[in-house]
Structure formats: C-alpha cells, structure tokens
Amino acid sequence: MPRERLTTERVLAEFERVIQSNRHFHLNESVDVNIVHVEMPHGGRHTKRPEINLEKHLMKKRSIIRIRNNDQLCLARALVVAKAKIENDSRDRQIRNPERPLQARLARELHQNAAVPLGPCGLDEVKQFQTYLSNYQINIVSKDHQNALIYTGPDQEKRIYLYLHDNHYDVITKMPGFFERSY
C-alpha cells in the first residue's frame, strides 16, 4: 500500500488478524516492528524489446553451422558435420555443403549404424546416437528452453553441441561465441 495509507491502526489490525489463531499472545515490554519499503517500478521509454528475427540472427553467427535439408535427417546431418569439424576431416567442406550428396549419404549411414529409423528425431533418438557415438559427448541447447542445455551425454573429451530450434538442429561450433561471451 502507499506509504501515506499506512497508519498505526492498520498495523495493529494486521497484528490482530495474524495472532487470532493463538489466543494466549501477550505483549511484554516493547515490540520491534520492521517495515520494508519497496520502491514501486515506474514506466518509461524503451521498455519494449525489439523482436529478434531468429533466421537473420543465426545467419550472422559465426559460431553456428546451419544445416540445410529437405529431408527429415537434420539431426544426423548435424552430427556428421560436427564430427567432421572436430576430426579436421579433409572432406569437411564437402560434408558441410548440403548441395553435395556426401552429407546426406553419411547421415543415412549414421542412422543405419546407430539403428535409428529415418525420420524426425527427438531426445530418444539423440540417446541412441549417443550410444553409437560413444567417443563423443552430445549436448543439445534448446531455443524453447531459453537456450538451456536439455540433453548432455556422458562426459567425453570430444564434445558436440547442437542447437535445437523450431524442430530443427544446427551445429554450434563455439559455445562462448554462441552465447556472445568471452568464456
């Protein structure tokens, strides 16, 4: 309530309301009352945040490798692209290029080797891929969970970070760059 409406009568009435359950409440000597004053927020200019166009934002990020696909293999495609980057594969540029058939072929092979059916993938399929790719730690960062980690595989030296947004996976190459931090 505003400070000008706070009176001694209101304070004592609140005491009475609270102590009503204990009939034997007696005030001995003095009573200390602590009052906390909270400054009420005021409106002002520039309170509305501008909308972020995720597509443009991801295009500008150098810490993201975008996975472009027309099939439903974006998780497997992201995994093979991330593996090629981590291993410094000589075919890295070919694997990254969605126009070339290599990325799709490696993604299908990964599905087959990990015994994951072709199609859209959720966390259950991520766990199957994690079991197959036991030398890597797969980590999933989700846009729908305020860019929090929603899946972390068993600790390994080689780490794959994927960004899940709008039911699509992209590769995060550097976490500090992704979060725009120095570490």
Side-chain angles (χ1 to χ4, degrees):
M1 75 178 59
R3 183 176 39 203
E4 56 272 0
R5 289 183 47 207
L6 182 64
T7 63
T8 308
E9 289 81 21
R10 284 189 183 241
V11 171
L12 291 175
E14 191 63 24
F15 273 126
E16 285 180 69
R17 188 182 70 75
V18 171
I19 64 173
Q20 211 171 25
S21 62
N22 187 354
R23 295 183 190 161
H24 304 291
F25 182 80
H26 299 283
L27 290 177
N28 298 339
E29 298 180 21
S30 66
V31 175
D32 290 331
V33 177
N34 294 322
I35 297 177
V36 177
H37 177 260
V38 177
E39 185 70 33
M40 295 300 289
H42 299 288
R45 297 183 310 174
H46 304 292
T47 57
K48 184 178 179 188
R49 298 179 109 181
E51 293 294 320
I52 295 175
N53 182 335
L54 183 64
E55 194 66 28
K56 283 184 180 178
H57 182 70
L58 292 176
M59 290 299 284
K60 286 195 278 183
K61 286 250 182 233
R62 293 185 306 173
S63 58
I64 295 262
I65 298 174
R66 301 295 312 272
I67 301 298
R68 305 247 182 244
N69 62 309
N70 294 327
D71 53 19
Q72 296 181 332
L73 305 178
C74 62
L75 175 59
R77 286 175 179 259
L79 289 170
V80 298
V81 167
K83 275 182 53 181
K85 173 114 176 101
I86 289 170
E87 300 296 336
N88 293 320
D89 192 322
S90 60
R91 305 172 300 169
D92 183 45
R93 287 200 182 273
Q94 294 173 352
I95 293 171
R96 280 189 199 193
N97 188 346
E99 306 291 320
R100 309 212 65 187
L102 183 58
Q103 186 184 96
R105 183 171 54 82
L106 291 173
R108 284 189 187 87
E109 286 176 11
L110 181 59
H111 267 274
Q112 184 177 10
N113 294 339
V116 175
L118 294 174
C121 295
L123 290 182
D124 291 334
E125 289 80 10
V126 171
K127 291 174 186 173
Q128 286 182 262
F129 283 124
Q130 178 64 75
T131 301
Y132 176 71
L133 299 171
S134 60
N135 293 337
Y136 298 89
Q137 178 187 19
I138 299 175
N139 300 285
I140 309 288
V141 176
S142 172
K143 172 193 145 208
D144 294 336
H145 296 87
Q146 288 75 41
N147 292 341
L149 279 169
I150 60 168
Y151 177 82
T152 301
D155 194 27
Q156 294 293 330
E157 189 175 319
K158 297 176 185 176
R159 295 186 174 134
I160 295 174
Y161 290 93
L162 303 179
Y163 186 50
L164 174 61
H165 61 93
D166 305 321
N167 295 320
H168 181 77
Y169 295 90
D170 286 323
V171 179
I172 301 173
T173 56
K174 295 181 178 150
M175 288 299 285
F178 176 77
F179 285 117
E180 298 176 355
R181 301 286 183 256
S182 59
Y183 59 90

